[in-house]
Amino acid sequence: MTEKVFYQDSYLKTYHSEVVEVVDGGVILAATIFYPQGGGQPGDTGRLTIGGRDYRVVDTRYAEDRARIVHRIDGADLGDIRAGDAVDMEIDWQRRHRLMRMHTSMHLICSLIDAQATGGAVGETESRIDFDLQGQVIDKEQLTAALNQLVEQALPVTIGAITDEELDRNPGLVRTMSVQPPRGQGTVRTITIENTDYQPCGGTHVRNTAEIGELLVTGLKNKGKQNKRISMALVEP
Ligand SMILES: [Zn+2]
């Protein structure tokens, strides 16, 4: 199982670990700061340095067991890499930080819309989220203003944990992306935005909503009978 260092600290840009296994097209490490695709957030990109050689990480994904994390490396010969080799890693921080800002803004939008989210995708500068609105009407300008108010309030964002049993008793907590958090490890990671949003989430977030910067609701589209797709973007990329 890969240790998820990004779970405790999403701000680490570099880290040191060792190789556990070389798989087809990628490398598995003992611990990583690379976020694997999930919950609507894309996998991280960056660089691994092993034995004095740099390897470009083009994507990060969970292995099929959902426990190990594969750093995907394109077009490089991995034949010299051995289990136990020391690794220096660096993520593409500018990209990741934008994804953190966008991901955190998904929580803000969830707090403003009283409906079940049915899917979503976090992008580098623009994201979308689908809601089962049941006929509720959304006003683009109003929603933009409400989002920016939450950004301006500079609300702290904190990481916590909930037990599997507590979560089973409160299924309404699972609100975004229609993804059920992984159970079976005793606890599930949670994210709290002060006085605004609380839900299980495994993604990477900024520490304070002020870091998101100005947001703009860019689109409202019908997606099927009940579903509305809301798009929003970072004004300062
Ligand atoms: Zn989240």
Side-chain angles (χ1 to χ4, degrees), residues 158-179:
T158 50
I159 301 167
I162 183 174
T163 64
D164 289 358
E165 295 76 42
E166 275 178 280
L167 185 56
D168 288 337
R169 281 201 299 271
N170 297 283
L173 281 179
V174 181
R175 296 212 39 203
T176 35
M177 323 286 192
S178 71
V179 175

Side-chain angles (χ1 to χ4, degrees), residues 103-104 107 176-177 191 199-205:
H103 183 125
T104 310
H107 286 252
T176 35
M177 323 286 192
I191 292 299
Q199 58 177 297
C201 188
T204 59
H205 311 80

Side-chain angles (χ1 to χ4, degrees), residues 14 19 28 67 69-70 104 107 122 125 139 153 160 179 185 212 216 218 229-230:
T14 59
V19 174
I28 294 169
I69 293 170
V70 181
T104 310
H107 286 252
V122 178
T125 53
D139 180 272
Q153 281 176 31
V179 175
Q185 283 167 47
I212 297 169
L216 179 69
T218 49
R229 171 163 293 177
I230 303 178

Side-chain angles (χ1 to χ4, degrees), residues 15-156:
Y15 200 68
H16 184 80
S17 184
E18 64 179 55
V19 174
V20 169
E21 196 184 343
V22 178
V23 294
D24 187 28
V27 179
I28 294 169
L29 308 177
T32 191
I33 54 173
F34 281 73
Y35 179 78
Q37 185 193 67
Q41 186 178 328
D44 277 331
T45 58
R47 188 186 65 209
L48 303 182
T49 307
I50 305 168
R53 262 192 76 183
D54 286 346
Y55 298 88
R56 176 88 200 134
V57 179
V58 294
D59 196 3
T60 308
R61 299 286 181 98
Y62 278 107
E64 251 173 60
D65 59 12
R66 300 284 303 169
R68 293 171 307 153
I69 293 170
V70 181
H71 305 78
R72 289 199 178 169
I73 291 159
D74 248 8
D77 178 13
L78 307 179
D80 292 338
I81 303 175
R82 298 279 173 270
D85 282 355
V87 180
D88 283 305
M89 65 191 95
E90 181 173 12
I91 56 171
D92 290 332
W93 174 246
Q94 205 177 42
R95 173 177 183 269
R96 156 71 92 71
H97 190 242
R98 285 186 188 129
L99 292 170
M100 282 162 57
R101 290 161 67 204
M102 283 260 67
H103 183 125
T104 310
S105 64
M106 299 287 251
H107 286 252
L108 296 184
I109 209 165
C110 272
S111 78
L112 293 168
I113 293 173
D114 185 23
Q116 186 69 38
T118 55
V122 178
E124 225 182 304
T125 53
E126 190 161 22
S127 301
R128 60 174 172 78
I129 185 161
D130 298 342
F131 287 97
D132 180 8
L133 283 182
Q134 311 268 0
Q136 254 186 90
V137 178
I138 303 282
D139 180 272
K140 235 157 94 170
E141 278 72 37
Q142 259 175 28
L143 186 58
T144 294
L147 282 167
N148 286 316
Q149 208 176 8
L150 293 172
V151 168
E152 279 157 28
Q153 281 176 31
L155 303 166

